[in-house]
């Protein structure tokens, strides 16, 4: 029996994932995550910028929007009124949102640990102030790494806003749920 191209690629990535080089292992695992993202329930866990513990497994049974965005992104901010409207309409019916913020802490290679901490504090404050002012109560992931954000790079996010719509079983069912498509997909998944 001949292996499918996907199976062959996964086997090759497994070989690279066993590399003694950490950077090679990391790239191989990221590529494997991208290739298999739709095959299994999505696994994401982190402590939100406001201190809340977030584990996507705790959201099973709900429809979840994973919103990759940033406060500096014009198109992301333009989508917020739609997201908030849909959240207000469907949150009580089983819809939740998790934000993955690609904020930039602007850390420089020669920054001292104190400067790095101050830059992170400043970027977190921008994020917290924005989500408070804009009334976005859902949890936000922050690592301050801008385009090298751990979660966005894991899933190959190359532009924002990017949105993953997750079904009640934790599987990605759409990566295009923006604008009017967002509400239509949520209604379909919630059987409304």
């Amino acid at each position: 029996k001949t292996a499918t191209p996907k199976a062959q690629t996964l086997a090759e990535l497994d070989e690279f994932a066993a590399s003694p080089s950490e950077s090679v292992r990391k790239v191989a695992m990221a590529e494997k995550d991208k290739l298999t993202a739709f095959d299994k329930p999505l696994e994401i866990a982190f402590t939100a910028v406001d201190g809340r513990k977030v584990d996507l497994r705790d959201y099973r049974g709900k429809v979840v929007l994973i919103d990759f965005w940033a406060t500096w992104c014009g198109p992301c901010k333009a989508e917020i009124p739609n997201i908030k409207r849909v959240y207000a309409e469907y949150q009580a019916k089983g819809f939740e949102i998790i934000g993955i913020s690609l904020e930039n802490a602007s850390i420089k290679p020669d920054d001292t640990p104190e400067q790095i901490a101050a830059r992170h504090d400043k970027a977190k404050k921008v994020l917290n102030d924005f989500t408070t002012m804009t009334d976005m109560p859902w949890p936000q992931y922050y690592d301050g790494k801008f385009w090298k954000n751990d979660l966005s790079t894991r899933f190959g996010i190359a532009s924002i806003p990017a949105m993953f719509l997750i079904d009640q079983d934790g599987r990605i069912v759409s990566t295009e749920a923006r604008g009017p498509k967002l509400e239509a997909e949520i209604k379909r998944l919630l059987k409304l």
Side-chain angles (χ1 to χ4, degrees), residues 6-7 11 34 36 45 47 51 58 65 67 79 82-83 87 95 107 109 116-117 120 124 148 153 158 166 176 187:
K6 181 176 177 179
K34 283 189 274 184
T36 61
T47 300
D58 296 336
L65 178 70
D67 182 18
E79 186 69 21
N82 181 53
I83 294 170
Y87 184 72
F95 173 60
I107 294 169
I116 290 170
H120 277 299
K124 286 180 193 175
K148 296 198 184 308
T153 56
I166 312 297
E176 298 178 6
K187 286 172 79 171

Short mmCIF file of all heavy atoms in Angstrom, two decimals, residues 6-7 11 34 36 45 47 51 58 65 67 79 82-83 87 95 107 109 116-117 120 124 148 153 158 166 176 187:
data_model
loop_
_atom_site.label_atom_id
_atom_site.label_comp_id
_atom_site.label_asym_id
_atom_site.label_seq_id
_atom_site.Cartn_x
_atom_site.Cartn_y
_atom_site.Cartn_z
N LYS A 6 0.17 13.18 2.23
CA LYS A 6 0.11 13.74 3.58
C LYS A 6 0.82 12.82 4.57
O LYS A 6 1.61 13.27 5.39
CB LYS A 6 -1.34 13.97 4.00
CG LYS A 6 -1.49 14.56 5.38
CD LYS A 6 -2.94 14.84 5.70
CE LYS A 6 -3.12 15.36 7.10
NZ LYS A 6 -4.53 15.64 7.39
N ALA A 7 0.55 11.50 4.47
CA ALA A 7 1.19 10.54 5.38
C ALA A 7 2.70 10.54 5.18
O ALA A 7 3.47 10.46 6.16
CB ALA A 7 0.61 9.15 5.16
N ALA A 11 5.47 11.56 7.98
CA ALA A 11 6.57 10.66 8.33
C ALA A 11 7.91 11.40 8.25
O ALA A 11 8.77 11.25 9.13
CB ALA A 11 6.57 9.44 7.42
N LYS A 34 0.41 22.43 11.63
CA LYS A 34 -0.36 23.04 10.54
C LYS A 34 -1.03 21.97 9.67
O LYS A 34 -2.18 22.11 9.29
CB LYS A 34 0.55 23.92 9.66
CG LYS A 34 0.90 25.25 10.27
CD LYS A 34 1.61 26.13 9.29
CE LYS A 34 3.07 25.87 9.28
NZ LYS A 34 3.85 26.75 8.42
N THR A 36 -1.90 18.93 10.45
CA THR A 36 -2.90 18.09 11.12
C THR A 36 -3.93 18.89 11.91
O THR A 36 -4.76 18.30 12.62
CB THR A 36 -2.20 17.11 12.09
OG1 THR A 36 -1.49 17.86 13.08
CG2 THR A 36 -1.25 16.18 11.35
N ALA A 45 -3.54 25.91 25.56
CA ALA A 45 -3.68 26.24 26.98
C ALA A 45 -2.68 27.35 27.31
O ALA A 45 -1.54 27.31 26.84
CB ALA A 45 -3.44 25.02 27.84
N THR A 47 -2.08 31.09 30.22
CA THR A 47 -2.59 32.03 31.20
C THR A 47 -2.82 33.34 30.47
O THR A 47 -1.88 33.88 29.87
CB THR A 47 -1.60 32.22 32.37
OG1 THR A 47 -1.40 30.95 32.99
CG2 THR A 47 -2.14 33.21 33.39
N GLY A 51 -4.64 37.07 33.81
CA GLY A 51 -4.41 36.06 34.84
C GLY A 51 -5.32 34.84 34.78
O GLY A 51 -5.08 33.86 35.48
N ASP A 58 -11.53 22.91 28.15
CA ASP A 58 -12.62 23.33 29.03
C ASP A 58 -13.79 23.94 28.25
O ASP A 58 -14.86 24.15 28.81
CB ASP A 58 -12.12 24.36 30.06
CG ASP A 58 -11.08 23.76 31.00
OD1 ASP A 58 -11.06 22.52 31.18
OD2 ASP A 58 -10.28 24.54 31.55
N LEU A 65 -14.56 30.94 18.90
CA LEU A 65 -13.81 31.69 17.90
C LEU A 65 -12.43 31.98 18.48
O LEU A 65 -12.32 32.55 19.56
CB LEU A 65 -14.51 33.02 17.58
CG LEU A 65 -13.77 33.90 16.58
CD1 LEU A 65 -13.81 33.28 15.18
CD2 LEU A 65 -14.36 35.31 16.57
N ASP A 67 -9.47 34.21 17.81
CA ASP A 67 -9.24 35.43 17.03
C ASP A 67 -7.79 35.85 17.16
O ASP A 67 -7.35 36.30 18.22
CB ASP A 67 -10.17 36.54 17.56
CG ASP A 67 -10.05 37.84 16.78
OD1 ASP A 67 -9.52 37.82 15.66
OD2 ASP A 67 -10.50 38.88 17.32
N GLU A 79 -13.08 44.69 12.54
CA GLU A 79 -13.90 43.49 12.72
C GLU A 79 -14.51 43.41 14.13
O GLU A 79 -15.48 42.68 14.34
CB GLU A 79 -13.06 42.23 12.43
CG GLU A 79 -13.80 40.93 12.43
CD GLU A 79 -14.78 40.73 11.28
OE1 GLU A 79 -14.64 41.40 10.24
OE2 GLU A 79 -15.69 39.90 11.44
N ASN A 82 -18.40 43.66 14.78
CA ASN A 82 -19.10 42.45 14.35
C ASN A 82 -18.91 41.32 15.37
O ASN A 82 -19.87 40.65 15.76
CB ASN A 82 -18.60 42.00 12.97
CG ASN A 82 -19.30 40.76 12.47
OD1 ASN A 82 -20.52 40.69 12.43
ND2 ASN A 82 -18.53 39.75 12.10
N ILE A 83 -17.69 41.13 15.82
CA ILE A 83 -17.41 40.08 16.81
C ILE A 83 -18.19 40.33 18.09
O ILE A 83 -18.80 39.42 18.65
CB ILE A 83 -15.89 39.99 17.09
CG1 ILE A 83 -15.13 39.53 15.84
CG2 ILE A 83 -15.61 39.05 18.25
CD1 ILE A 83 -13.64 39.66 15.96
N TYR A 87 -21.02 38.00 19.68
CA TYR A 87 -20.78 37.51 21.04
C TYR A 87 -21.98 37.83 21.94
O TYR A 87 -22.46 36.96 22.67
CB TYR A 87 -19.50 38.15 21.59
CG TYR A 87 -19.09 37.66 22.95
CD1 TYR A 87 -18.58 36.38 23.14
CD2 TYR A 87 -19.18 38.50 24.07
CE1 TYR A 87 -18.19 35.94 24.40
CE2 TYR A 87 -18.80 38.06 25.32
CZ TYR A 87 -18.30 36.79 25.48
OH TYR A 87 -17.91 36.36 26.72
N PHE A 95 -21.58 30.20 22.70
CA PHE A 95 -20.49 30.73 21.87
C PHE A 95 -19.49 31.47 22.76
O PHE A 95 -19.88 32.26 23.61
CB PHE A 95 -21.07 31.69 20.82
CG PHE A 95 -20.03 32.44 20.02
CD1 PHE A 95 -19.11 31.76 19.24
CD2 PHE A 95 -19.98 33.83 20.05
CE1 PHE A 95 -18.16 32.45 18.49
CE2 PHE A 95 -19.03 34.52 19.31
CZ PHE A 95 -18.13 33.83 18.53
N ILE A 107 11.04 44.50 22.05
CA ILE A 107 12.24 44.14 22.79
C ILE A 107 13.45 44.21 21.86
O ILE A 107 13.40 43.72 20.73
CB ILE A 107 12.08 42.75 23.43
CG1 ILE A 107 10.98 42.84 24.50
CG2 ILE A 107 13.39 42.25 24.02
CD1 ILE A 107 10.53 41.51 25.03
N PRO A 109 17.65 43.53 21.17
CA PRO A 109 18.62 42.49 21.56
C PRO A 109 19.49 42.87 22.76
O PRO A 109 19.89 42.01 23.54
CB PRO A 109 19.49 42.32 20.31
CG PRO A 109 18.65 42.83 19.18
CD PRO A 109 17.75 43.88 19.76
N ILE A 116 13.39 44.67 29.45
CA ILE A 116 12.48 43.69 28.84
C ILE A 116 11.18 43.63 29.64
O ILE A 116 10.08 43.67 29.06
CB ILE A 116 13.15 42.30 28.74
CG1 ILE A 116 14.28 42.34 27.70
CG2 ILE A 116 12.13 41.21 28.41
CD1 ILE A 116 15.17 41.11 27.68
N ALA A 117 11.29 43.54 30.97
CA ALA A 117 10.09 43.48 31.82
C ALA A 117 9.25 44.75 31.64
O ALA A 117 8.02 44.67 31.54
CB ALA A 117 10.50 43.30 33.28
N HIS A 120 7.43 44.60 28.29
CA HIS A 120 6.28 43.68 28.38
C HIS A 120 5.13 44.33 29.15
O HIS A 120 3.98 44.24 28.73
CB HIS A 120 6.67 42.36 29.04
CG HIS A 120 7.30 41.37 28.11
ND1 HIS A 120 6.66 40.86 26.99
CD2 HIS A 120 8.52 40.78 28.13
CE1 HIS A 120 7.45 40.02 26.37
NE2 HIS A 120 8.59 39.94 27.03
N LYS A 124 1.46 44.95 27.59
CA LYS A 124 0.29 44.35 28.25
C LYS A 124 -0.71 45.42 28.64
O LYS A 124 -1.92 45.21 28.54
CB LYS A 124 0.72 43.57 29.51
CG LYS A 124 1.39 42.26 29.22
CD LYS A 124 1.76 41.61 30.55
CE LYS A 124 2.69 40.46 30.37
NZ LYS A 124 3.12 39.90 31.66
N LYS A 148 6.29 36.73 15.67
CA LYS A 148 6.86 35.45 16.12
C LYS A 148 6.09 34.89 17.32
O LYS A 148 6.58 34.02 18.04
CB LYS A 148 8.34 35.63 16.45
CG LYS A 148 9.16 36.01 15.24
CD LYS A 148 10.62 35.78 15.46
CE LYS A 148 11.50 36.23 14.33
NZ LYS A 148 11.22 35.81 13.02
N THR A 153 2.60 31.43 15.14
CA THR A 153 3.59 30.72 14.32
C THR A 153 3.31 29.22 14.32
O THR A 153 3.53 28.56 13.30
CB THR A 153 5.05 30.98 14.79
OG1 THR A 153 5.17 30.64 16.16
CG2 THR A 153 5.44 32.42 14.58
N ALA A 158 0.04 34.09 8.88
CA ALA A 158 0.93 35.02 8.18
C ALA A 158 0.30 36.41 8.04
O ALA A 158 0.98 37.35 7.64
CB ALA A 158 1.29 34.47 6.81
N ILE A 166 -14.08 26.97 16.04
CA ILE A 166 -13.94 25.64 16.60
C ILE A 166 -15.32 25.11 16.95
O ILE A 166 -16.12 25.82 17.57
CB ILE A 166 -13.08 25.71 17.90
CG1 ILE A 166 -11.80 26.52 17.69
CG2 ILE A 166 -12.81 24.33 18.45
CD1 ILE A 166 -10.84 25.97 16.69
N GLU A 176 -12.34 31.04 7.87
CA GLU A 176 -12.83 32.21 7.13
C GLU A 176 -14.09 32.79 7.75
O GLU A 176 -14.89 33.42 7.06
CB GLU A 176 -13.10 31.81 5.68
CG GLU A 176 -11.85 31.34 4.96
CD GLU A 176 -12.12 30.91 3.54
OE1 GLU A 176 -13.25 31.06 3.05
OE2 GLU A 176 -11.18 30.42 2.91
N LYS A 187 -24.56 30.11 13.90
CA LYS A 187 -25.95 29.64 13.90
C LYS A 187 -26.02 28.20 13.42
O LYS A 187 -26.74 27.38 13.99
CB LYS A 187 -26.82 30.55 13.03
CG LYS A 187 -27.12 31.89 13.67
CD LYS A 187 -27.80 32.83 12.74
CE LYS A 187 -29.27 32.53 12.62
NZ LYS A 187 -30.00 33.58 11.88
#
